Amino acid sequence: MLLFGSKVKKQSTDGKRIKKYLHYGVLVTFFAAIPFLAVYSNNIVRTSISVVLKPLMWMIAAAWFLYTLFAFLLKSYIRSSLILLLIIVVFFSYGHVENLLQNTHDFNPASLAKALFGIYCFVFVAGLVLIFRFRTIPRNIVLFVEIAAALLILINLTHILLFEIQTIRIKLTTQNVSLPKLETSVRRDIYYIVLDAYAREDVLREYYSFDN
């Protein structure tokens, strides 16, 4: 009877661990997807979703691998996910912050890179100290991170979805338009006005048979 009870208790504990692992794993997936969705959302006119999908899948796979490795070493799913969030934020924000400061202020590029690298190292170490300082991570912090990640995913997906709907509507509208046939023996000169912008890879392939 005691043996049966211990088995049931072990199964219940294992079930809770798997549930926690998957719960924070979903959060890790959000962390990994946000940078790629944000880049695609801001450049949706110039690129296609097929260009983003492959690196996105690799990023999610790498995030899950690191999350599993950290969880195995630290024996804490929540700390592992927060460390991964810190790594992603530091890695993907560095270039954007450097470009922003370089464009808005007249900094020496080498001096700016050194100063920014030092600041980011300090932020990363300080973040690790805060994560390991608490014996138990406050639930409010976890809830804030979950809500922020969900909102960022929702905002970017909404923008992408609205653009795709608009694109489909334009295609359906142009397909039903019939141009009048002009019967004339005079052939006019035709000029193409190409604006200073670069078309998406799929547009160049579909309309101009050009492999970019």
Side-chain angles (χ1 to χ4, degrees):
M1 188 70 180
L2 290 174
L3 182 62
F4 176 76
S6 62
K7 285 184 178 180
V8 172
K9 187 176 180 180
K10 186 177 183 301
Q11 289 177 354
S12 176
T13 304
D14 291 342
K16 288 180 180 179
R17 286 180 180 176
I18 294 173
K19 188 177 179 180
K20 270 190 174 182
Y21 173 76
L22 294 177
H23 172 78
Y24 291 109
V26 171
L27 196 58
V28 165
T29 305
F30 283 178
F31 296 159
I34 287 171
F36 289 88
L37 291 177
V39 169
Y40 175 64
S41 179
N42 291 326
N43 298 275
I44 195 169
V45 179
R46 300 180 183 88
T47 187
S48 61
I49 188 65
S50 59
V51 177
V52 183
L53 280 179
K54 189 174 181 179
L56 174 61
M57 293 298 105
W58 277 108
M59 181 61 191
I60 292 176
W64 269 89
F65 172 77
L66 290 176
Y67 165 63
T68 305
L69 179 63
F70 292 158
F72 175 77
L73 296 175
L74 302 175
K75 308 300 180 184
S76 173
Y77 299 128
I78 182 171
R79 280 191 172 86
S80 302
S81 61
L82 290 178
I83 291 173
L84 200 58
L85 170 62
L86 182 63
I87 293 173
I88 291 173
V89 169
V90 168
F91 181 80
F92 283 101
S93 66
Y94 181 87
H96 294 287
V97 173
E98 185 179 17
N99 291 333
L100 178 64
L101 292 175
Q102 195 66 51
N103 294 331
T104 55
H105 298 81
D106 190 18
F107 290 120
N108 179 273
S111 301
L112 176 62
K114 289 180 180 178
L116 201 59
F117 180 77
I119 293 172
Y120 264 71
C121 287
F122 173 78
V123 170
F124 182 73
V125 172
L128 288 178
V129 170
L130 287 175
I131 291 172
F132 286 101
R133 181 182 178 183
F134 297 101
R135 181 174 297 179
T136 303
I137 303 295
R139 179 58 190 167
N140 291 337
I141 295 178
V142 179
L143 185 62
F144 172 78
V145 171
E146 290 175 343
I147 293 175
L151 284 176
L152 288 173
I153 289 287
L154 183 62
I155 290 171
N156 287 291
L157 285 181
T158 301
H159 181 254
I160 294 170
L161 183 61
L162 290 176
F163 178 83
E164 293 297 333
I165 292 174
Q166 184 180 7
T167 303
I168 293 172
R169 285 180 178 176
I170 293 173
K171 284 185 177 181
L172 292 176
T173 303
T174 53
Q175 285 177 355
N176 298 326
V177 174
S178 58
L179 298 176
K181 293 183 179 180
L182 299 177
E183 296 181 2
T184 176
S185 58
V186 180
R187 295 186 177 181
R188 305 288 183 181
D189 292 331
I190 300 175
Y191 297 90
Y192 290 95
I193 300 175
V194 180
L195 302 179
D196 187 17
Y198 198 72
R200 289 192 335 226
E201 183 180 358
D202 57 331
V203 174
L204 292 173
R205 187 185 300 109
E206 181 178 354
Y207 294 101
Y208 300 101
S209 300
F210 177 72
D211 187 2
N212 193 34

